[in-house]
Amino acid sequence: MRNEIILATHGLTRCFGGLVAVNDVTFDIKINEIHAILGPNGAGKSTLINLLSGEIPPSEGQVLYRSQPIQGKSARQIARMGIGRSHQKTNIFPRLNCLQNCELAARIHMGGVFGSWRSRHQAREVSERALESLHTCQLTHRAYTAAADMSYGEQRQLQIAMVLATAPSLMLLDEPMAGMGREETAQVTELLASLTDRYTLVLIEHDMDSVFRLADRITVMVDGCVLESGPAEQIRTSDKVRDVYLGRHDEEATA
């Protein structure tokens, strides 16, 4: 089960005019793993995650989810297939409390809108999803707290809870620890580590300590291309990654 591939790309390419943001990317994600995407600014990481979530279409190539191509499907259709997405910028509803934020995420995912319901059964399912996602993210005590009144770190945890409320199998997380202090980063790192028995995570993150603590495998991108992909320890010790991404040559030149 652990080696089963849940998502794969083949020759994935995205052009914006003359700019090739993602260039012939081929890699795969195994079920229940944490797969990190690393690379310097402008490497194509955010464009790649937008392609995986269906927010933008590819210029060429394929994305396969559970062996089925997702090209031509809307982002909402892809979400309903089981792919959840968080964004680099905190994307919550500050005037709603935590429970309402999660309920709204679940309702939209199920095709409803806030305040309108098709059945009591659906209403109960939404409430259960929301409460469970808050419990998973250790925010149950904040259920009735307005999102605007929480710390930045708690708001980032709430964003993860909102993704969980959509009942995904695969979660695409774009810099979930961006802007956090050390203690908040440690909390979110622990949270993400606890999710892998139920979810598969694709993680874009600049906090290298957290990445190497969490990731089973890592794909490193440079200039829209895959530089290297493999187990975390392989990437940690790779001369190629050190030279191009970590800038070892630049350090030696200035020594």
Side-chain angles (χ1 to χ4, degrees):
M1 187 75 170
R2 184 78 176 183
N3 290 321
E4 180 184 345
I5 293 173
I6 190 171
L7 184 139
T9 71
H10 300 287
L12 194 62
T13 299
R14 174 65 194 200
C15 303
F16 297 97
L19 172 66
V20 183
V22 170
N23 187 8
D24 194 26
V25 168
T26 297
F27 76 115
D28 59 61
I29 310 295
K30 295 179 181 178
I31 195 166
N32 294 120
E33 78 170 345
I34 297 181
H35 194 121
I37 311 293
L38 294 183
N41 290 335
K45 305 183 300 296
S46 291
T47 301
L48 176 61
I49 208 168
N50 287 336
L51 290 166
L52 300 182
S53 65
E55 295 190 27
I56 58 174
S59 302
E60 296 179 22
Q62 275 193 318
V63 180
L64 301 176
Y65 176 68
R66 298 191 184 276
S67 301
Q68 298 298 315
I70 67 172
Q71 288 90 326
K73 298 183 184 298
S74 68
R76 177 173 290 186
Q77 288 173 318
I78 292 170
R80 288 179 180 170
M81 292 172 66
I83 299 178
R85 163 80 194 271
S86 76
H87 292 79
Q88 183 177 347
K89 294 183 178 179
T90 305
N91 189 16
I92 58 176
F93 299 91
R95 295 185 181 182
L96 301 181
N97 64 38
C98 288
L99 182 59
Q100 289 170 330
N101 267 275
C102 292
E103 286 179 337
L104 182 55
R107 290 175 181 181
I108 292 173
H109 181 259
M110 294 172 66
V113 295
F114 197 73
S116 68
W117 287 110
R118 298 178 184 176
S119 70
R120 288 184 180 180
H121 173 74
Q122 277 193 325
R124 185 167 56 252
E125 182 179 348
V126 162
S127 180
E128 289 173 354
R129 277 195 196 181
L131 287 168
E132 183 180 356
S133 66
L134 289 177
H135 174 73
T136 300
C137 293
Q138 300 178 1
L139 290 173
T140 304
H141 66 294
R142 290 294 216 173
Y144 299 103
T145 302
D149 295 335
M150 299 197 307
S151 70
Y152 176 75
E154 288 175 323
Q155 290 178 353
R156 298 294 287 182
Q157 287 176 256
L158 175 58
Q159 188 172 17
I160 295 172
M162 292 172 68
V163 178
L164 291 176
T166 66
S169 297
L170 171 68
M171 299 174 64
L172 308 173
L173 305 177
D174 194 351
E175 297 194 34
M177 289 166 273
M180 289 187 183
R182 182 175 299 177
E183 185 175 337
E184 292 173 328
T185 296
Q187 282 185 318
V188 174
T189 299
E190 185 178 342
L191 167 62
L192 297 181
S194 73
L195 297 178
T196 54
D197 60 334
R198 290 173 289 170
Y199 305 97
T200 303
L201 308 183
V202 177
L203 176 68
I204 293 178
E205 184 53 60
H206 287 292
D207 188 302
M208 301 296 286
D209 289 338
S210 296
V211 166
F212 282 113
R213 178 183 169 190
L214 286 168
D216 299 296
R217 291 194 297 157
I218 298 173
T219 294
V220 181
M221 294 184 65
V222 175
D223 297 329
C225 301
V226 172
L227 174 68
E228 188 168 345
S229 188
E233 190 56 32
Q234 172 187 322
I235 300 301
R236 187 198 294 271
T237 59
S238 168
D239 287 338
K240 186 164 55 174
V241 171
R242 288 178 181 175
D243 290 347
V244 176
Y245 177 54
L246 300 179
R248 187 181 67 179
H249 282 175
D250 292 342
E251 291 176 3
E252 291 175 351
T254 58

